[in-house]
Amino acid sequence: MAAVQATTQALDPSNSSKKTIKIENTEKRDSLIAQEKKYQQVWQESGIFESDAPSTSEVSPGAMSSAQLHEKYPKFFGTMAYPEIEMFGEKFERCQETAIMNGEPEEEPPAPTQEDTKADVTKFSAKKSKAAAKTVKMKYQFQIMLAIGIALDDIHKFADPQHWLVHFPPLCKQHLTNFGCRIDWRRSFVTTPANPFYDTFVRWQMNRLREMGKIKFGKRYTVYSPKDGQACMDHDRSEGEGVAVQEYTALRMQVKEWPEKAKAKLAEMVPAHGKVYFVPATLRPETMYGQTALFVGPKITYGIYQVSNDEYYFITDRAARNMAFQSIFKKKWGEMTKVAELDGSDVVGTLVNAPLSVYTEGIRVLPMESIKPTKGMGVVTNVPSDSPDDYATITDLAKKADYYGIKKEWASLEILPILKTPAFGDISAKYLVETMKINSPKDAKQLAEAKDLAYKEGFYKGTMLVGDFKGQSVSEAKPKVKKQLIDSGEAFDYAEPDGHVVSRSGDVCVAGHLDQWYMNYGSAENGGDGKWLGQVLEHINDKDGLNTYSTEAKNAFESTLNWLGQWACARTYGLGSLLPFDHNFLVESLSDSTIYMSYYTIAHLLHRDIFGKELGPANVKPDQMTDEVWDYVFTRRDDIDTDIPKPTLQKMRREFEYWYPLDVRISGKDLINNHLSFFLYIHVALFPKQYWPRAIRVNGHLLLNSEKMSKSTGNFLTLSEATQKFGADATRVALADAGDSLDDSNFEETTANATILKLFELRKYCEDTIKEATMVDSADQYAAYRDGGKVRNADTILRTGPLNFFDKLFQNELNGLVQETRAAYEATLYKSALKTGFYDLTAARDWYRESTKTADLGMHYEINKLYVKFQALMLLPIAPHWSEYIWRDVLGNEDTVQNARFPVVADEDASLTAAREYMRSTSSSITSAEGAAQKKVAKGKTTAFDPKKDKKISVFTAQSFPPWQDRCVELIRQALDGMTFDMKAVSQKLDKAETKKAMPFVQGLKRRLEGGEDKQSVFERKLPFDEMAVLKEMVPGLKASIQRCKVVEVVAVHEGGKTGRVVAGDGATIGEEKAELPPSAEGAMPGVPTFHFENVV
């Protein structure tokens, strides 16, 4: 029990969340949560999320195509990965108390070298953030259960796999309901034989895929768990998800002469007639002509393993374990015999035969410090002509022969060119090492980069210079050289996992070569179904095909599909459907979950519960769902012999053809390497093209408060905990704000906490201005109510009647923000949608409210109501409960906001937009200047006016552009060639006295022209709004916003900038001619006013 106590203490909730923020005053949050619970219940009771296809009575079967059906009855069908309940081991594993109490120290990973970089540099990879339970040193099943809140007394029940299926689904449903998810729960199901209907669905797809030749049987390499006795696929792993098998060419390099140290240790262990081979594994057999040495790790312990009666291999224990499951040893499958053990340092100086090498007398075994026992055989053949690592190491060995205890001549064999590349010449390793200034074998990062460059250039563009395939491209020669080596007995096939893989039973996995059923994914060159691959790639690249929402995601899919190969689709035990054509196997979890989205379309008709025990409205039994019936439902055939009534069949088919194709699949970026690529493959194979997926949106993982989630560090939060702590809407807002890219998003608790206040206050504003509104019909009446003391909140006094200038500006801005928000939602950019549809919308409302308040006008009731309506609709996808309350309780709509359509608005009026931005920039410049003067005074500096005293502001506006600008425009007109001009030619014609101010102006016009702006608008330089009229509207606001402002005057500056006339103001004399204007007046240009402060008595 001490082990249990240690785990329980480590997972104490007070510790697991100690770094997260604490909420003390919860009144506002509780009010919002009560609102959420109310509408969750309303939605559930009304069945608002339960959507059905148009009935066959509404649209007769065959009367419309799928596309026509969607046009008349628009739909959207999206799915995200269903909750995955991960189990491991057939029984609970034994747990050592010290492993829990002390944990296991994490080693700092070494810098990558040739041995531990990706074997195939073209493969796409995505780092997967593990769940919190995996970041705590929790290796045992009961620890993880305690971590997720399962009572200790209940853990024994989970020894029965079926208990998992009963315990977790209700929790998943409750948590997602509390989160406000829009889910049709009638369509729920479990994906094992526990649901006999789903079992028939899986059997159907397996049968059809086999008939189509997509599933095959034969010997192949796969990641294998010796302990479990079956293939270990991605979802069967506790470590190494996404790691595939890497195949190598293993060379047999026979020992010709042992050094004395090795001889002494091997005495009587290897018979005199025995042949010992060093066995390096290579990905580049075509370069073996250039071998000059063989490397071993001097500190690595190797074994000599018996292969047959008279043959032995010098390899690492890890490599031997892989070989044992590939029938390389002439023994029972999985068995191996080690006859001796040697350190790498013992064999330095050994003379070995090197297949294909020009050095036919043999090459020497030399030390290489960077070799890892976890990659290949721990033995590396040296090809210094084309491997930067090898070149750097062999050069270092030759320079420091005495230090390494070797003879210099062993490391000084001539480096001969074996292939030629256009970029790096015929000894690419030397070129790259020197060009990249790599000085030592320890420059691991640079060497890894150089290796990638050399490999890609050599494989894709290289030409052979030696051997039987001289003159051929490297890509052509590579398989031929490999075959030649294997046929001659000098090499054999070998494979291993391309990384560390541990099964959920705690077993370190190997690459096994065994008979198995597999999906024939991949290119024809790799033994796969090339035509099938071509169809998938075509769908991804078709402009009307798959939408991946980002170039990065599209490239990741293409990269994955181009390297992904055959995939084992069966295992021997666990949960899953029996393989219908071989009951010795079960369908593995990544192969039975590729098209389950199509099952959603009819699940509610087949059964009323997730286990399929209670028949659904179709009144069909599982044994009636034959392969032929599934074909009919999924529009693969029209003729069918079944006892299911035709109307029932047609109803099921209608549900499928209406809801399919899937509009979007949501999942993590790490699943591109498996599930999402399989999802595309199987859809393309089984369904007509019109039903292929329309989009996949992948996302990154989630950080909490800018750090990785971890219970051990106290930085941990589940979805359920977040909704309890902040409420669903505030949590959803913070998640939307966390980020949109494929990079890890960041959930900030401070954002969620701040959102509580934002939503609460915004709700109160909506209630006050809609439900408590006092209507007035003029500005005078507004001022009377505001100043009369009858109304506590001036926001509730709202005008009616015609719209004024500020009303039109705000309505126009609303239109623009609605369109921007729609575009962001359609692009699945929720952070952007939140910005425009919430933050910017609120800022626009604030500006409108302040502008009309300072102008003594007040807001317009209908425009404000429009804002409230738009705010509810813009936030609906992110904060649905808040939007529902505003829609129903505030705006008084009878129907739910869930049925409301996204608003359709007029295009933004460019002239109003320009006028609005002009007002904001002008006001900002003026208030900034006043603020700067106040700071100067505070520091004791002299200013042109005293900002603390009564003052007057004069705003200067020009009616025409300066003559020098007109001259510049004319020069550009003359020099214009298409949409650009020769800057040098124009600059030479400028008046030298005007060059300093003219050049920036000319450059600006050039940028606008080359940016595609219409020539006429560039040259005419007309403002899209009446500047004078806008400034007149601004006068009240300026006077109210400037401290102790007594006079505001707007002056139209005459040509020359010295004189002008007052055209608008407050406290100013309209029409007054100004004879001597301050210097700032000369700088005024159309659209760029200037201003001047002065004190008044």
Side-chain angles (χ1 to χ4, degrees):
M1 291 300 293
V4 174
Q5 291 173 352
T7 299
T8 304
Q9 290 173 3
L11 302 175
D12 185 337
S14 64
N15 292 324
S16 65
S17 59
K18 64 186 178 184
K19 287 182 67 177
T20 61
I21 68 172
K22 303 295 183 288
I23 299 179
E24 296 178 354
N25 300 317
T26 65
E27 182 181 350
K28 292 181 174 63
R29 179 205 66 183
D30 295 343
S31 173
L32 293 172
I33 289 179
Q35 170 183 290
E36 292 168 359
K37 296 302 178 187
K38 170 187 174 182
Y39 282 110
Q40 286 168 9
Q41 183 176 353
V42 169
W43 294 337
Q44 182 177 354
E45 291 174 352
S46 65
I48 189 61
F49 300 147
E50 297 176 1
S51 300
D52 295 306
S55 68
T56 52
S57 61
E58 292 177 278
V59 180
S60 301
M64 287 186 181
S65 67
S66 177
Q68 291 171 330
L69 197 62
H70 297 153
E71 185 176 355
K72 185 172 182 179
Y73 302 95
K75 64 89 185 180
F76 184 87
F77 178 28
T79 67
M80 66 179 184
Y82 51 57
E84 177 188 327
I85 312 304
E86 297 181 337
M87 297 180 283
F88 55 89
E90 293 182 284
K91 299 179 180 178
F92 287 84
E93 303 301 324
R94 292 182 178 177
C95 171
Q96 295 181 0
E97 177 183 332
T98 54
I100 302 169
M101 298 179 72
N102 300 328
E104 298 173 3
E106 293 184 2
E107 295 183 0
E108 186 70 21
T113 67
Q114 181 181 14
E115 278 62 52
D116 54 24
T117 50
K118 282 193 298 187
D120 185 342
V121 297
T122 65
K123 288 183 181 179
F124 168 77
S125 62
K127 293 181 180 178
K128 180 178 180 182
S129 306
K130 291 297 182 181
K134 297 177 185 177
T135 63
V136 185
K137 304 291 187 298
M138 287 188 293
K139 160 181 187 182
Y140 301 97
Q141 203 163 33
F142 90 89
Q143 291 177 283
I144 296 176
M145 291 180 172
L146 287 173
I148 60 176
I150 296 174
L152 181 62
D153 293 341
D154 290 336
I155 288 180
H156 70 93
K157 299 176 184 177
F158 291 87
D160 176 8
Q162 300 304 317
H163 184 67
W164 295 69
L165 306 181
V166 176
H167 178 84
F168 285 105
L171 292 177
C172 296
K173 180 178 179 180
Q174 187 58 57
H175 293 168
L176 292 173
T177 298
N178 291 344
F179 190 54
C181 290
R182 183 174 180 136
I183 298 172
D184 186 348
W185 292 108
R186 299 173 305 157
R187 301 174 188 266
S188 303
F189 53 89
V190 294
T191 61
T192 73
N195 184 324
F197 287 99
Y198 190 81
D199 195 45
T200 68
F201 170 70
V202 173
R203 294 201 306 268
W204 161 76
Q205 57 184 284
M206 293 296 111
N207 282 330
R208 292 297 181 253
L209 289 168
R210 186 191 181 201
E211 291 167 5
M212 298 168 70
K214 309 302 183 186
I215 295 179
K216 293 184 175 293
F217 184 79
K219 281 193 180 296
R220 60 181 296 279
Y221 293 108
T222 191
V223 177
Y224 179 82
S225 168
K227 181 177 183 178
D228 298 340
Q230 66 175 1
C232 185
M233 310 315 289
D234 276 359
H235 284 185
D236 302 323
R237 304 173 186 177
S238 61
E239 294 180 52
E241 185 168 337
V243 173
V245 167
Q246 179 62 59
E247 297 184 36
Y248 294 89
T249 302
L251 299 176
R252 287 160 45 95
M253 304 179 73
Q254 186 176 349
V255 174
K256 303 180 75 171
E257 174 186 309
W258 287 109
E260 291 303 319
K261 195 173 182 180
K263 268 185 192 177
K265 286 193 173 185
L266 291 176
E268 299 182 1
M269 292 185 179
V270 177
H273 66 277
K275 301 174 184 176
V276 179
Y277 297 86
F278 280 69
V279 185
T282 181
L283 292 169
R284 306 188 67 186
E286 74 283 359
T287 66
M288 293 303 99
Y289 299 102
Q291 296 176 87
T292 66
L294 185 67
F295 293 136
V296 295
K299 297 178 183 178
I300 297 174
T301 298
Y302 295 85
I304 294 182
Y305 287 85
Q306 186 176 19
V307 183
S308 61
N309 289 335
D310 62 348
E311 292 189 334
Y312 301 83
Y313 287 164
F314 178 95
I315 51 179
T316 61
D317 293 346
R318 175 182 175 275
R321 187 165 180 257
N322 275 279
M323 287 185 180
F325 294 95
Q326 295 172 27
S327 302
I328 292 173
F329 299 137
K330 308 303 180 189
K331 296 179 179 295
K332 184 178 178 181
W333 201 70
E335 292 185 355
M336 53 191 168
T337 301
K338 183 195 285 189
V339 301
E341 198 167 83
L342 294 170
D343 290 334
S345 58
D346 296 335
V347 299
V348 170
T350 301
L351 183 67
V352 296
N353 177 59
L356 296 184
S357 173
V358 296
Y359 296 105
T360 56
E361 296 301 315
I363 57 177
R364 295 288 176 174
V365 175
L366 302 176
M368 187 181 200
E369 297 285 351
S370 60
I371 290 178
K372 308 293 182 191
T374 54
K375 191 79 170 178
M377 312 289 188
V379 180
V380 178
T381 187
N382 171 54
V383 183
S385 58
D386 290 272
S387 168
D389 287 89
D390 294 352
Y391 181 83
T393 300
I394 203 72
T395 303
D396 190 59
L397 288 170
K399 288 178 181 177
K400 305 173 184 177
D402 292 340
Y403 172 79
Y404 289 110
I406 64 171
K407 294 181 180 180
K408 184 173 182 178
E409 58 265 29
W410 293 349
S412 301
L413 297 181
E414 184 182 357
I415 300 172
L416 301 174
I418 57 173
L419 60 89
K420 185 174 184 178
T421 63
F424 308 138
D426 54 12
I427 301 184
S428 60
K430 181 175 186 293
Y431 175 87
L432 287 166
V433 168
E434 293 176 351
T435 302
M436 298 175 69
K437 295 181 172 54
I438 297 172
N439 300 314
S440 164
K442 295 181 181 179
D443 294 340
K445 186 176 180 180
Q446 291 169 280
L447 283 169
E449 182 182 351
K451 171 203 169 183
D452 290 354
L453 292 170
Y455 180 88
K456 290 178 179 177
E457 178 72 11
F459 181 77
Y460 292 112
K461 299 179 181 179
T463 304
M464 299 299 297
L465 296 176
V466 297
D468 294 344
F469 309 105
K470 179 180 179 180
Q472 294 186 19
S473 68
V474 170
S475 58
E476 288 178 306
K478 182 174 183 172
K480 296 176 182 178
V481 175
K482 177 176 180 177
K483 183 177 185 302
Q484 186 181 66
L485 284 166
I486 292 175
D487 290 348
S488 68
E490 295 176 299
F492 58 91
D493 286 317
Y494 166 78
E496 65 182 29
D498 194 21
H500 187 60
V501 179
V502 179
S503 71
R504 296 200 179 281
S505 62
D507 188 28
V508 176
C509 295
V510 299
H513 192 237
L514 62 156
D515 285 330
Q516 58 189 256
W517 294 99
Y518 60 89
M519 295 287 183
N520 198 28
Y521 301 139
S523 64
E525 293 78 7
N526 293 328
D529 187 330
K531 183 178 179 181
W532 193 11
L533 170 62
Q535 289 177 298
V536 177
L537 287 172
E538 183 181 351
H539 183 53
I540 289 174
N541 289 298
D542 186 346
K543 64 180 179 65
D544 296 320
L546 187 74
N547 180 10
T548 60
Y549 294 100
S550 74
T551 302
E552 184 181 0
K554 181 175 179 289
N555 292 341
F557 273 107
E558 290 180 331
S559 176
T560 294
L561 290 165
N562 282 320
W563 67 254
L564 181 66
Q566 298 162 342
W567 184 272
C569 62
R571 57 185 176 186
T572 55
Y573 74 85
L575 293 176
S577 298
L578 287 172
L579 203 59
F581 38 82
D582 189 342
H583 287 188
N584 293 313
F585 294 95
L586 300 168
V587 182
E588 67 94 22
S589 62
L590 279 168
S591 297
D592 73 1
S593 59
T594 54
I595 58 168
Y596 72 84
M597 311 83 195
S598 61
Y599 188 85
Y600 282 127
T601 63
I602 66 166
H604 65 303
L605 299 177
L606 297 179
H607 46 80
R608 298 181 188 275
D609 66 307
I610 62 174
F611 297 103
K613 294 179 179 178
E614 185 180 354
L615 298 186
N619 199 31
V620 173
K621 296 177 181 178
D623 59 5
Q624 292 177 282
M625 294 301 295
T626 63
D627 288 352
E628 291 70 29
V629 170
W630 285 110
D631 281 340
Y632 179 86
V633 170
F634 295 142
T635 71
R636 290 168 50 88
R637 66 186 299 166
D638 293 322
D639 58 312
I640 185 172
D641 183 13
T642 177
D643 57 357
I644 299 176
K646 191 64 177 288
T648 301
L649 287 171
Q650 291 173 334
K651 182 175 180 60
M652 289 194 289
R653 186 173 192 169
R654 168 56 54 79
E655 286 286 331
F656 170 74
E657 65 183 2
Y658 176 68
W659 289 111
Y660 249 53
L662 184 67
D663 292 289
V664 68
R665 173 69 174 163
I666 311 293
S667 199
K669 63 182 178 182
D670 50 299
L671 294 186
I672 291 175
N673 281 341
N674 45 57
H675 164 72
L676 291 173
S677 292
F678 303 166
F679 159 80
L680 291 174
Y681 262 116
I682 306 304
H683 271 85
V684 166
L686 291 178
F687 296 117
K689 188 171 184 178
Q690 69 199 74
Y691 298 121
W692 292 358
R694 305 305 304 153
I696 296 177
R697 177 59 158 94
V698 292
N699 50 265
H701 305 105
L702 190 65
L703 301 175
L704 176 61
N705 302 325
S706 302
E707 296 179 9
K708 183 178 180 180
M709 277 205 276
S710 169
K711 282 197 170 183
S712 63
T713 64
N715 193 54
F716 184 78
L717 198 66
T718 65
L719 179 65
S720 178
E721 290 167 344
T723 53
Q724 291 175 37
K725 189 172 188 177
F726 303 110
D729 284 343
T731 298
R732 292 168 67 114
V733 168
L735 283 169
D737 194 69
D740 292 322
S741 73
L742 268 65
D743 296 330
D744 287 352
S745 299
N746 180 35
F747 181 90
E748 285 284 357
E749 287 190 289
T750 53
T751 300
N753 194 33
T755 300
I756 293 173
L757 180 61
K758 283 186 174 75
L759 292 177
F760 184 88
E761 294 298 333
L762 185 55
R763 183 181 72 177
K764 187 175 186 307
Y765 169 87
C766 296
E767 291 170 336
D768 289 347
T769 59
I770 300 299
K771 300 174 74 172
E772 305 297 329
T774 298
M775 307 292 190
V776 297
D777 56 14
S778 67
D780 290 340
Q781 197 174 4
Y782 166 80
Y785 267 90
R786 183 195 61 192
D787 300 335
K790 298 179 181 179
V791 179
R792 289 182 298 174
N793 182 358
D795 288 342
T796 62
I797 310 170
L798 294 112
R799 280 180 294 107
T800 59
L803 303 184
N804 64 29
F805 181 66
F806 290 100
D807 301 332
K808 293 175 182 177
L809 287 182
F810 184 44
Q811 183 178 26
N812 183 65
E813 187 168 14
L814 289 177
N815 291 344
L817 290 172
V818 166
Q819 291 181 332
E820 287 183 56
T821 304
R822 184 189 194 103
Y825 276 132
E826 289 176 345
T828 67
L829 299 175
Y830 298 100
K831 185 179 180 73
S832 298
L834 186 68
K835 177 183 181 298
T836 57
F838 183 32
Y839 301 143
D840 289 353
L841 205 63
T842 302
R845 186 278 318 265
D846 290 345
W847 186 81
Y848 172 61
R849 178 170 58 178
E850 290 305 312
S851 296
T852 54
K853 184 184 295 184
T854 56
D856 289 335
L857 298 171
M859 297 182 290
H860 194 284
Y861 177 78
E862 292 299 333
I863 296 299
N864 181 70
K865 185 177 181 181
L866 183 67
Y867 155 73
V868 173
K869 173 186 174 182
F870 284 173
Q871 184 63 92
L873 294 174
M874 295 304 98
L875 268 183
L876 173 59
I878 296 174
H881 311 87
W882 187 91
S883 294
E884 186 73 85
Y885 175 81
I886 299 301
W887 189 256
R888 285 189 170 184
D889 289 38
V890 175
L891 293 173
N893 293 297
E894 293 184 4
D895 194 16
T896 172
V897 72
Q898 300 284 359
N899 288 335
R901 303 296 295 272
F902 202 91
V904 177
V905 296
D907 289 338
E908 196 170 4
D909 186 318
S911 63
L912 288 174
T913 301
R916 182 190 71 232
E917 295 308 309
Y918 173 87
M919 292 177 74
R920 289 178 179 172
S921 63
T922 301
S923 296
S924 177
S925 297
I926 291 171
T927 54
S928 295
E930 183 188 23
Q934 290 172 341
K935 289 179 181 179
K936 282 186 177 182
V937 170
K939 293 179 180 179
K941 296 181 179 180
T942 304
T943 58
F945 69 100
D946 188 343
K948 295 181 180 180
K949 295 182 178 180
D950 293 347
K951 64 180 76 70
K952 164 187 170 183
I953 183 172
S954 299
V955 181
F956 305 112
T957 175
Q959 298 176 338
S960 61
F961 289 98
W964 64 265
Q965 286 192 2
D966 292 332
R967 290 192 289 273
C968 289
V969 168
E970 186 55 36
L971 286 174
I972 294 172
R973 283 183 191 274
Q974 295 172 7
L976 194 63
D977 181 12
M979 292 298 287
T980 188
F981 57 88
D982 186 338
M983 176 69 78
K984 185 177 181 181
V986 171
S987 64
Q988 290 175 344
K989 296 180 180 180
L990 292 173
D991 188 324
K992 291 183 179 180
E994 299 173 349
T995 300
K996 187 174 180 180
K997 58 185 177 182
M999 283 305 295
F1001 175 71
V1002 171
Q1003 289 168 346
L1005 294 182
K1006 183 178 175 69
R1007 283 194 297 270
R1008 290 172 63 186
L1009 287 167
E1010 293 178 347
E1013 191 173 342
D1014 180 67
K1015 285 187 287 187
Q1016 185 174 355
S1017 63
V1018 173
F1019 290 143
E1020 287 189 2
R1021 295 176 296 147
K1022 289 182 178 178
L1023 295 181
F1025 60 92
D1026 185 337
E1027 184 177 14
M1028 205 72 71
V1030 171
L1031 284 172
K1032 289 178 181 178
E1033 296 285 354
M1034 290 179 64
V1035 168
L1038 289 174
K1039 187 174 183 181
S1041 61
I1042 298 171
Q1043 295 182 25
R1044 304 193 69 165
C1045 183
K1046 299 302 180 181
V1047 179
V1048 177
E1049 64 178 13
V1050 177
V1051 180
V1053 180
H1054 301 320
E1055 186 173 344
K1058 303 294 185 182
T1059 61
R1061 183 170 63 88
V1062 177
V1063 293
D1066 186 334
T1069 304
I1070 309 301
E1072 179 186 359
E1073 291 290 339
K1074 296 283 186 178
E1076 294 184 12
L1077 296 179
S1080 59
E1082 292 186 53
M1085 289 189 294
V1088 186
T1090 57
F1091 50 88
H1092 174 74
F1093 284 109
E1094 60 183 286
N1095 292 117
V1096 294
V1097 179

